[in-house]
Structures are given as C-alpha cells and as structure tokens.
Amino acid sequence: MKNDDILYALTDIREDFLEEAAPVQRRPLSRWLTVAVAASLALLLMGAGILFGGSVQDWMAHRWAVENTRPMSEGQAALVDSMSQEIGLCQTVGGITVDVDSALFGDRGFRILVRVRGRQFDHAQGVCFDRWTMELQPDPTEGMGRHIGWEFAGFDGDGSWLLFFCCDWDEAVRPEEPFAVRLSMTDLVFTGGPIGEVTEVVQEGTWEFEFPLEVTGVPDPIRLPDCTVKTEKGEALELKNLVLYSTGISYEKIGEGDFEVTAILADGSAIAATQGMGDSRWWDVPVDPAQVTALRLGETTIQIPVR
C-alpha cells in the first residue's frame, strides 16, 4: 500500500438510525475528513435482516427501493448492471467463509461487495477484520491521491455479514486495461465500545484474494455551470468546477459550511449522496447523469436540462 493512501471508515452515524437499529461498531481506521453516514444501516429498519439475492446489483436495487418506495426502472437496473462485475471467489478458514461476490465501478473508484458467513452473527455486535490490505497492480491511481476503506452494508437473509471494500481516487480515471486487486483480511473479531476495541477473536487466520477488475458501462460525466448554494444554516457557498458523475458529484467550494445533496431524475426518482470526502459526494446508488433533471444542494435547487 502506498504512503499516500488514506484509510477512512464510516464514523458518523445518524442518531435516528441508532435509535431504531442495532448498533454496529467497527475498528477505526481513521477519522480524517470523514463526513460519511452509514446509510445502509437504515435498511435494518425494514426488518431483522436485509433480504436480497446477494450481488452488488441486488444491494443497489434494495437501497433504491428504500429511498424511493418503489423498484428501480428497467433503465436504472440496466445501468447498475452495466457498471457491475461478478467476481465469485470464496475462501474458508476455520469454518468462516469469506465470499468476494461482485464489484461496481465508476469514474472515481470502485466498491467490492464481500460476505462473511459460517456462524449466526449477533446484530448488536460489531464485526470486522482486525487488519486488512488492498493493492492494485498496475495501479491506475499512480501519481494521485486515493482513499481506501470499508463500509458496513448490513446482513442478508441468512444472517451473513455484508460489507463494501472501497477505493476512491481524487481524479476521474478510466483505466484502459484491466488491473489486479489483491485483497487480504486477517482475524475476524467482535468489537465493542465507541472506539471499537476488540472484545473477542471470532476466527484467527487470513483470507487472501486476487482478481481482475475492468471498467465497463460507466456513463460520461456532465460539467455544470458555477453556482451559489444556500446551506441549511443559511450560509452562502460558491461552487466552481461542478461535475456530475454516475457515482456522485465533485466541485470546488468557496466558503465555509456543508450541505445535503440529492439528485432528481427525469422519472421523479430521487437518490441522495450520503457519503463523501473533501469536495466530493457519492450517490447511494449510481445514476445516469443524462437522466438527472435537478440537483438539490442544501436549500438550493439547480435545474438541469435532460440530455
């Protein structure tokens, strides 16, 4: 792993989620610039588990239905499918099986869906790997900043633990050739307390995987005019170099303050960007930029003509 890698984890959880969902702790990797919300915890409010087939496409479809109270359209489902890649690897150590199921790629990084099974996990316990690494060969982010981390993604209908391993980079890159991902996870542990101390080692050992990733089906981004937005606290911020991607937006912000971001699509659907770092926000589910008719940025709505 390169020295300029920045490890991040989701450390800010919305209070209304915590009031109704079982708390899930994790080993803290870094609190640097973390502004993300573990939006997937909201899915626990739907019942005892997150019920779907298990692929990254299934997870995105479920998340979409939670935010819009209706299924994805055929076009939206086709977009997610075109940006996804099946991996289908598994390894068992001491009765604990780790499945590297599938991945979703965008202009500024990727998500890898991993499933951990072999015992019935207590939803009130924090479960994670004590140590892990991710390497890219050849590295498409050479010469730029990148950020790697993991996000809790819920539990499936069988009680297996789900998570995303994530790699996000500071600039839009579409590698022309496939590259290899080497993912290693060591010692599955239970954690407890606000800073994620290990309370029990579930299974010692290392699960190691290597697989190729290839960019496919990512729609072209759209550059938008500079604009001024008003935050929920009434602050005025100027945004420059605003770019709308399939997986989020990026901008240069002049002024202090933060704001919520939501994309409105031509069919009336809406998807929020509840995760981000620096001057970037990431949609909970990818969208086609050409189908976005408006952006809600704080208290300001920007209309976008449909391409």
Side-chain angles (χ1 to χ4, degrees):
M1 188 178 304
K2 301 193 310 182
N3 290 335
D4 61 354
D5 289 343
I6 302 172
L7 301 179
Y8 68 91
L10 300 181
T11 56
D12 298 322
I13 309 298
R14 272 176 45 182
E15 292 182 359
D16 56 329
F17 290 176
L18 292 179
E19 288 173 359
E20 301 184 55
V24 178
Q25 306 292 336
R26 75 278 159 294
R27 291 281 287 172
L29 301 177
S30 173
R31 302 181 66 91
W32 184 81
L33 282 182
T34 301
V35 298
V37 175
S40 54
L41 281 177
L43 304 184
L44 293 176
L45 307 184
M46 304 293 290
I50 300 175
L51 305 178
F52 55 85
S55 70
V56 68
Q57 295 99 315
D58 295 326
W59 193 97
M60 295 294 172
H62 191 97
R63 181 65 207 164
W64 184 277
V66 168
E67 293 203 20
N68 287 282
T69 65
R70 60 181 177 182
M72 283 183 177
S73 66
E74 291 185 5
Q76 176 64 35
L79 171 70
V80 173
D81 190 60
S82 71
M83 297 172 63
S84 303
Q85 176 180 323
E86 182 180 358
I87 299 172
L89 297 178
C90 70
Q91 188 177 113
T92 300
V93 176
I96 296 295
T97 298
V98 174
D99 300 299
V100 180
D101 184 274
S102 47
L104 185 140
F105 216 107
D107 282 292
R108 301 185 64 163
F110 57 86
R111 302 283 188 274
I112 298 170
L113 182 64
V114 170
R115 179 183 297 101
V116 181
R117 54 190 173 89
R119 64 176 291 174
Q120 194 69 30
F121 295 107
D122 183 351
H123 291 194
Q125 284 267 28
V127 187
C128 67
F129 293 99
D130 191 50
R131 301 179 303 283
W132 68 276
T133 61
M134 181 192 293
E135 298 179 355
L136 312 181
Q137 294 292 334
D139 189 349
T141 68
E142 191 71 38
M144 72 177 71
R146 70 175 179 181
H147 320 279
I148 64 173
W150 65 268
E151 304 167 358
F152 172 70
F155 297 90
D156 69 10
D158 296 326
S160 299
W161 177 53
L162 305 172
L163 71 156
F164 282 114
F165 282 95
C166 315
C167 183
D168 299 283
W169 38 77
D170 291 343
E171 301 174 20
V173 175
R174 293 191 187 182
E176 296 182 357
E177 301 292 337
F179 58 92
V181 177
R182 297 171 182 168
L183 182 61
S184 176
M185 297 156 277
T186 299
D187 293 352
L188 186 68
V189 298
F190 284 145
T191 63
I195 60 174
E197 300 92 342
V198 174
T199 59
E200 178 187 346
V201 177
V202 180
Q203 178 62 56
E204 293 183 338
T206 298
W207 294 259
E208 294 182 303
F209 302 90
E210 182 170 344
F211 48 89
L213 282 186
E214 183 176 7
V215 181
T216 59
V218 179
D220 291 332
I222 296 174
R223 294 190 174 275
L224 302 175
D226 297 347
C227 62
T228 300
V229 302
K230 184 178 181 181
T231 71
E232 288 80 0
K233 295 183 179 179
E235 303 150 319
L237 304 175
E238 186 177 357
L239 301 185
K240 294 182 174 294
N241 297 322
L242 182 61
V243 182
L244 172 61
Y245 296 98
S246 57
T247 50
I249 65 170
S250 66
Y251 47 81
E252 295 177 14
K253 181 177 68 176
I254 300 176
E256 298 297 328
D258 209 348
F259 51 91
E260 295 183 355
V261 178
T262 303
I264 310 300
L265 277 64
D267 66 357
S269 301
I271 201 72
T274 56
Q275 305 173 26
M277 180 173 289
D279 286 347
S280 296
R281 295 292 183 270
W282 308 315
W283 308 125
D284 295 347
V285 179
V287 300
D288 183 351
Q291 292 299 311
V292 177
T293 60
L295 289 177
R296 285 203 299 262
L297 307 173
E299 298 297 310
T300 303
T301 298
I302 300 174
Q303 301 297 326
I304 305 172
V306 176
R307 268 64 173 177

